[in-house]
Amino acid sequence: MRNGRYVIPVKAECKNEMKGLIHDTSSSGATIFVEPMAVVHTGAQVGRGCLLCAGSVVNHNSQVQAYCQIDCGAVVPARAQVPSGTKVPCGKVFESL
């Protein structure tokens, strides 16, 4: 587990072979810890070209539109709708406009 999420250790050179969110990297950099897309919060929709940084949380039934950036430690609450091009800074909780 990393950041309270179930993850799978994957060799860094194989990171493109598994779809999921990268939550952490080993101190040597040889291993990454990936949360498989199959277990990412159910019902969350993430648009094209979004960047979800390690440790970010996108909760159930939320919608993140295209080209958003959700930084490390940022949170998108349940049922939130994040407009296209929005950046949610590190450690912040997205608040609807």
Side-chain angles (χ1 to χ4, degrees), residues 8-18 22 24-26 28-34:
I8 297 173
V10 177
K11 289 185 178 183
E13 64 264 22
C14 300
K15 70 179 179 182
N16 294 325
E17 296 181 30
M18 180 176 187
I22 298 173
D24 203 0
T25 303
S26 66
S28 68
T31 305
I32 59 171
F33 298 92
V34 180

Side-chain angles (χ1 to χ4, degrees), residues 43-47 58-66 68 70 75-86 88 94-97:
Q45 296 177 11
V46 179
V58 178
N59 283 298
H60 67 280
N61 296 327
S62 57
Q63 295 181 352
V64 179
Q65 301 298 320
C68 290
I70 313 300
V75 175
V76 175
R79 294 174 297 286
Q81 294 188 7
V82 182
S84 293
T86 300
V88 182
F94 174 77
E95 295 181 22
S96 297
L97 303 174

